[in-house]
Amino acid sequence: MNITSHNLPFTPNRIFCIGKNYDEHIKELGDKQIPNEPVVFMKPVCNIVAPGVTLNHPPYGNELQHEVEVVLLIGKEGKNIHESEVLSYISGITLGLDLTLRDVQRKLKAAGLPWERSKSFEQSAPLGVFKSYHPEKFDLANLNFSCFVNGHLRQTGNTGQMIFPISNLIQIISSWWTLKPGDIIFTGTPAGVATIQSGDKIVVESPVIGSFFWQLSSE
Ligand code: ZN
């Protein structure tokens, strides 16, 4: 399924993903160090999967894991954005899954190699529908969100637990790249990531954002 099936009201430009942005998730990965600056990697926009579209397991790797994340859409160009101005650059908010092949990532990390095969495989970026962002409607520093697999709660988080809060994140990213309309930012996952199996149904939800699901093909 391609991006046009998503009916995106904008042309996606890039997908930035933030790694290691929640303490408890860093601990569950067995990492000891809290980063002193954001960990950033990217996924190609062709990996976006619309809600409800069936996911296929990548042809390699054994531990395909869900990572529910709050996802932001940038609406205007900005460089060196001041923290107090950040909110005016956000045009949309939703939830997404930063799908990860954990066993492949572990091997690549141990060998000091790039992450792409573990994070940027086809269909690695299931993405909900963006809601228009209004600062008075969404408190980015206190947003609850969760992930259920086959009806069982697996992950629950609140954006208040972020190591680099959203305003800080966007300020820093905009000092490294000029942000453009259509840039998408996955802001990191809380603890509870786990391996999904064929046929599993993954639901992500947040009271103010909504609920989206994907199912892993049973083949
Ligand atoms: Zn992630």
Side-chain angles (χ1 to χ4, degrees), residues 17-19 41 67 69 98 100 119 188-189:
C17 297
I18 308 304
F41 59 95
E67 293 192 359
E69 313 201 357
D98 165 20
T100 304
K119 287 280 197 183
T189 199

